[in-house]
Amino acid sequence: MEGLDFIKACSAIGAGIAMIAGVGPGIGQGFAAGKGAEAVGRQPEAQSDIVRTMLLGAAVAETTGIYGLIVALILLFANPFF
């Protein structure tokens, strides 16, 4: 039974490490939103292009956090190691 407990503990640690992947997209999206607001302030007539590009970049950045969440959920609830 000790081996199973060790695998569960390592899976919980791995899930926690995987959730660190959510920090990067949060920082990146905040930075992008700030730069987007700055760009709209400089060129208000280009607002639609700026917002569209910013939203596309935010969606791509968010996939990293979602992948980390999926890995954490797999390790916690559908663990392939036991």
Side-chain angles (χ1 to χ4, degrees):
M1 214 35 142
E2 274 186 36
L4 186 62
D5 292 337
F6 180 72
I7 291 174
K8 285 182 181 180
C10 289
S11 295
I13 291 170
I17 292 171
M19 288 312 299
I20 293 174
V23 173
I27 293 170
Q29 288 174 5
F31 184 75
K35 290 298 182 180
E38 196 176 297
V40 169
R42 275 186 269 137
Q43 290 185 325
E45 67 277 359
Q47 178 182 3
S48 63
D49 292 335
I50 293 168
V51 170
R52 185 174 1 146
T53 304
M54 185 183 68
L55 289 176
L56 180 64
V60 170
E62 188 63 31
T63 58
T64 306
I66 292 171
Y67 289 147
L69 175 65
I70 290 171
V71 167
L73 290 174
I74 288 172
L75 284 173
L76 289 176
F77 298 111
N79 198 328
F81 298 116
F82 59 86

